[in-house]
Amino acid sequence: MPTIRIHDFGLSGHAHRVRLFCSLLGLPVELQPVNLRAGEQKSPAFLAMNPFGQVPVIEDGEATVADSNAILLYLALKHDPQRTWWPESPLAQARVQQWLSAAAGPLANGPGRMRVLKLFGGAPEARAADLAQNLFDSMERQLGSSRYLASAEHPTIADIAMYSYTARAGDGDLSLEPWPAVRKWLSDIEALPGFVPMPEAPQRN
C-alpha cells in the first residue's frame, strides 16, 4: 500500500484529525512537518498544493488534497469500502455533514480559538467562549441519545472532525466537566483500535 504524505504541524487539531483517521484506517503515512512560525505554509511550493496556505495537505500517489474535512472525506471514500465512516444514504450523509460544518465553524472559532489564544498569546474573547459553551451544549444533547455524533451504531468522519479540539479544550482553560456525555464520547473514540492522541501542548511561562 502506498504511503500517504501528510504535510503536518504537530499542534494543529486540523492536522491531528488527519493523522488520527489514517491510523484508524491502518494507512501508512509519512509526516512532513511544516514550520508555521517560519511561514513555510506561505511559500510558493506550499501554496501550489494549497492556495489557502494552511495545513494539513496530503499527497496520496498523484492526488494532492487540502483542507482537513475534505481530506477525511477523500480518505473515507477511497479507503473504506464498507462505507461506515462516510455512509451511503443521503440522510446519513447529511447528518455527518452537519457536524463537519460544526467542526469548521463553532469548533474552530470556539474551543479551537480559545486554545490558540492561550498557547500563542492573546486576550480572551467572549465570543469564542460563548461559541464553545453553545457547541458543547449541542453535543451533549446529541450524545445523550446517540453514542456517536451522526450515528448510534458506529463512528463516522463527523466524530473524527470533532474530536481533536474537543479533546484538547483544556489547553484553552475550558473544562469539560459540565458535559458528561461529551466526556464519555471522547473515551469511546480513544478506545478505537488504532487511536493516536492529540499531542499535549507545551506550557507557556
Side-chain angles (χ1 to χ4, degrees):
M1 181 181 297
T3 298
I4 296 173
R5 176 179 294 173
I6 304 175
H7 295 266
D8 181 69
F9 180 68
L11 294 181
S12 165
H14 291 79
H16 174 257
R17 65 181 63 153
V18 173
R19 296 196 304 271
L20 171 59
F21 194 41
C22 285
S23 183
L24 294 173
L25 291 173
L27 301 176
V29 301
E30 171 195 339
L31 299 182
Q32 179 65 47
V34 178
N35 189 337
L36 301 188
R37 293 181 177 88
E40 188 177 345
Q41 74 279 17
K42 303 300 182 183
S43 68
F46 193 91
L47 291 173
M49 295 186 295
N50 181 3
F52 293 101
Q54 298 171 331
V55 294
V57 175
I58 67 165
E59 294 178 87
D60 183 19
E62 296 183 358
T64 299
V65 187
D67 181 86
S68 60
N69 286 348
I71 293 169
L72 295 182
L73 179 56
Y74 167 83
L75 292 172
L77 287 169
K78 183 171 181 181
H79 297 288
D80 175 31
Q82 288 75 34
R83 294 296 296 271
T84 56
W85 293 98
W86 175 253
E88 293 187 290
S89 82
L91 179 58
Q93 289 181 3
R95 288 172 174 161
V96 172
Q97 181 59 56
Q98 172 185 333
W99 291 103
L100 296 182
S101 296
L107 182 69
N109 296 314
R113 178 66 177 164
M114 292 175 68
R115 181 174 178 270
V116 167
L117 292 172
K118 181 67 176 180
L119 296 183
F120 300 106
E125 296 178 358
R127 178 177 180 272
D130 288 344
L131 284 171
Q133 172 82 38
N134 292 335
L135 174 65
F136 291 150
D137 284 347
S138 299
M139 293 173 66
E140 185 75 11
R141 285 191 292 270
Q142 177 65 25
L143 293 167
S145 60
S146 177
R147 184 175 183 184
Y148 299 103
L149 288 170
S151 169
E153 294 82 23
H154 57 78
T156 67
I157 59 173
D159 301 285
I160 306 308
M162 293 294 295
Y163 172 81
S164 303
Y165 286 126
T166 302
R168 301 307 309 171
D171 291 344
D173 289 338
L174 181 59
S175 172
L176 294 176
E177 186 63 28
W179 298 286
V182 172
R183 290 186 279 110
K184 170 64 167 59
W185 166 77
L186 290 173
S187 296
D188 287 343
I189 300 300
E190 291 159 6
L192 294 173
F195 172 81
V196 290
M198 173 78 175
E200 293 191 18
Q203 298 297 312
R204 289 173 57 89
N205 295 326

